[in-house]
Amino acid sequence: MTAFRSERPSDPDTHVHTLANGVRVLTIVQPHLESACVSVYVRTGSRHESPRLNGISHVVEHMAFKGTRTRDCQRINLDAEQLGAEANAHTDKDHTAYHLRGLAQHAGQFIRMLGDIVLESQFPESELERERQVILQEYLEDEDDALSTAFKLFDEACYGRHALAQPVIGKRRNIERFSRDELMGYVQRQYTGANVIVAVCGPVDPQTMAAQAEAVFGAMPAGAPNLVAAPAYLGGLRTKRMSGSSQTHVVLGFPVPTQCDPDMPVAVMAATVFGEGMSSPLLDRVRERLGLVYYAGCSADVSDLAGQFVIEASTTPEHLDALFEEVSTLLCAHATSIDPVHLERARNQLAVRSVRARERSQRRLEGAAQDLFVFGRVRPSGEWMERIASIDADAVRLQFERMLAAPVSAAITGKVPTGTKERCRDRLATLMPPA
């Protein structure tokens, strides 16, 4: 007799079954497809790590494919590829995910194969030493990336020493030190039923998928949700000169509402109005009309713990002051009024983005899994679009006004001439609230 509870979210193609131990089985039925995506999401990432363990979620993700109780690394790869399936995985700040995609008829096998990887990985010592070198090369590549470095410094400016500011890749000294016992202990603590979602998308039967998942994951310890306290927002400026770089990379921004705040969609709309697309005010001004940058963009990076309004750009040192001046002018202008043409453009861009995400199986699965972790339900597709449609110009203008009342956070990396930090601090002072 099965021991799972069925739930019915609003979208008729979406089904959620909860096993007795808290594991949730998410199935999105797409009968027009012939392939299926199967993923296992675990609510653990860099924000769940102590400083001493920063990077361990990413190392576990790498090592999960290196051998289980019954299969070695080569067998794991061969089993997937014999079915023509693509295996992949990723680690983020808030979750780790393991994926297989192939023919829909093999969806049940994919659940069993991923269950073996997630539940039975042994992290062999010999494989750990080899994979450690691979991860260290990935670390060095990330360290050499000036824009990636700017984003890491930007997070530090926003949140200081809070775990949300920690990089997913971790610290080099940690990667060099992690032992098999540490990996096993971390998995034992973090990989529990309350923190696992088994997700399937394709032309599949939800009851069959739930039964398959129960057979594999039903014996997991239930555990408790891996929750993290929200950080305090700080603000400030960070810089790092990087040899060999000919460009200057800038990331700056402000706090915005979290994913759980009713005003979060307004922040997403504000970022889209300001800097999404070549016709947006940001790109039209600093790239098309003034030629100050080759690349620029704006986004709202929101989670259940925090939200960031993020402006990023790659320029040259001689254009840096002008770039800050133009961005400051544009931000202040948007706190005064919102062009209705750009509001309509942004509304349509968000509508198309939402439709495209629903058409991509993997992206839709991840969005639904994140909903389950954050809200305990999968939000119906129409809910987001209704909220976007209701946002007016004054709500967006007020969002800019509130942002500019908070301390700005900024990071500058790459080619950073002497005196840049002091000059940019003065420039940014025009965006800082009065003392």
Side-chain angles (χ1 to χ4, degrees):
M1 181 177 178
T2 57
F4 53 74
R5 183 177 72 255
S6 298
E7 304 163 22
R8 289 301 309 221
S10 298
D11 284 344
D13 62 354
T14 303
H15 304 257
V16 178
H17 300 84
T18 302
L19 307 186
N21 61 353
V23 172
R24 283 165 286 190
V25 186
L26 165 68
T27 309
I28 300 176
V29 181
Q30 295 189 316
H32 60 286
L33 299 180
E34 295 184 31
S35 66
C37 292
V38 179
S39 299
V40 176
Y41 296 93
V42 187
R43 179 167 40 193
T44 194
S46 57
R47 77 182 195 182
H48 298 91
E49 300 164 350
S50 67
R52 178 174 171 77
L53 292 180
N54 182 212
I56 195 169
S57 300
H58 181 242
V59 175
V60 165
E61 175 232 308
H62 272 248
M63 286 299 301
F65 292 87
K66 297 304 177 181
T68 69
R69 292 183 189 276
T70 58
R71 299 189 296 164
D72 61 18
C73 173
Q74 287 70 33
R75 188 76 229 180
I76 288 171
N77 293 329
L78 181 59
D79 284 350
E81 292 173 2
Q82 273 191 310
L83 297 177
E86 298 174 6
N88 208 343
H90 71 266
T91 308
D92 210 327
K93 287 180 178 287
D94 60 348
H95 72 274
T96 306
Y98 304 88
H99 315 286
L100 280 169
R101 179 168 188 165
L103 296 176
Q105 68 200 58
H106 297 142
Q109 287 175 260
F110 296 159
I111 290 174
R112 294 192 294 273
M113 291 161 68
L114 287 176
D116 185 47
I117 289 168
V118 171
L119 301 175
E120 302 293 344
S121 288
Q122 297 299 294
F123 311 121
E125 293 280 7
S126 59
E127 293 287 351
L128 176 57
E129 293 312 310
R130 278 193 289 269
E131 196 64 20
R132 195 191 309 276
Q133 301 309 311
V134 173
I135 298 170
L136 285 170
Q137 291 177 52
E138 184 180 353
Y139 174 88
L140 291 173
E141 182 178 352
D142 186 66
E143 281 290 287
D144 290 342
D145 187 324
L147 189 56
S148 175
T149 300
F151 270 100
K152 287 184 284 187
L153 292 177
F154 174 71
D155 283 343
E156 288 182 14
C158 289
Y159 308 124
R161 295 183 179 276
H162 189 278
L164 191 59
Q166 294 184 145
V168 172
I169 191 71
K171 300 180 177 69
R172 178 170 185 159
R173 63 179 178 272
N174 289 350
I175 299 169
E176 292 173 336
R177 189 204 73 244
F178 286 139
S179 67
R180 177 180 182 273
D181 286 346
E182 285 178 300
L183 302 186
M184 296 288 284
Y186 185 76
V187 168
Q188 186 176 16
R189 292 191 303 274
Q190 302 295 110
Y191 283 49
T192 58
N195 300 292
V196 168
I197 295 171
V198 181
V200 186
C201 187
V204 295
D205 175 62
Q207 294 291 332
T208 301
M209 294 299 100
Q212 292 275 6
E214 184 186 30
V216 177
F217 292 87
M220 284 190 82
N226 296 331
L227 302 179
V228 179
Y233 176 83
L234 302 175
L237 174 63
R238 303 284 195 279
T239 63
K240 183 175 182 179
R241 185 180 296 112
M242 301 178 70
S243 61
S245 180
S246 59
Q247 283 191 303
T248 303
H249 302 274
V250 177
V251 179
L252 69 88
F254 305 87
V256 294
T258 69
Q259 195 173 4
C260 303
D261 192 303
D263 285 335
M264 180 274 288
V266 182
V268 175
M269 178 72 83
T272 309
V273 165
F274 190 77
E276 182 170 317
M278 296 299 291
S279 67
S280 67
L282 176 65
L283 273 78
D284 181 64
R285 183 66 180 167
V286 303
R287 188 186 193 280
E288 298 300 288
R289 297 182 185 274
L290 298 178
L292 298 177
V293 303
Y294 168 70
Y295 165 76
C298 183
S299 61
D301 185 2
V302 294
S303 71
D304 55 324
L305 295 188
Q308 297 166 316
F309 182 94
V310 184
I311 300 166
E312 54 184 296
S314 297
T315 185
T316 52
E318 62 269 23
H319 289 147
L320 189 58
D321 287 357
L323 174 63
F324 275 125
E325 183 174 348
E326 293 298 332
V327 169
S328 175
T329 299
L330 284 171
L331 287 168
C332 292
H334 280 73
T336 301
S337 65
I338 302 297
D339 187 328
V341 172
H342 286 299
L343 184 66
E344 183 65 17
R345 168 188 56 80
R347 200 186 313 280
N348 289 330
Q349 285 175 308
L350 289 173
V352 172
R353 187 193 305 173
S354 179
V355 169
R356 292 183 64 186
R358 287 182 61 79
E359 292 175 346
R360 297 170 57 196
S361 299
Q362 195 69 64
R363 181 66 191 90
R364 189 172 175 198
L365 270 188
E366 184 160 336
Q370 288 176 326
D371 273 2
L372 282 176
F373 282 143
V374 174
F375 303 106
R377 66 185 181 95
V378 180
R379 294 175 295 176
S381 56
E383 182 176 309
W384 172 254
M385 294 313 304
E386 288 171 8
R387 185 68 185 93
I388 291 298
S390 71
I391 298 172
D392 60 22
D394 195 56
V396 178
R397 182 201 63 77
L398 185 59
Q399 177 62 60
F400 279 95
E401 185 178 295
R402 288 172 176 164
M403 287 192 309
L404 294 179
V408 63
S409 293
I412 307 169
T413 62
K415 192 171 184 178
V416 183
T418 302
T420 297
K421 188 170 186 177
E422 291 71 23
R423 292 200 327 276
C424 290
R425 184 178 285 115
D426 292 340
R427 289 285 185 184
L428 291 171
T430 62
L431 297 175
M432 297 287 282

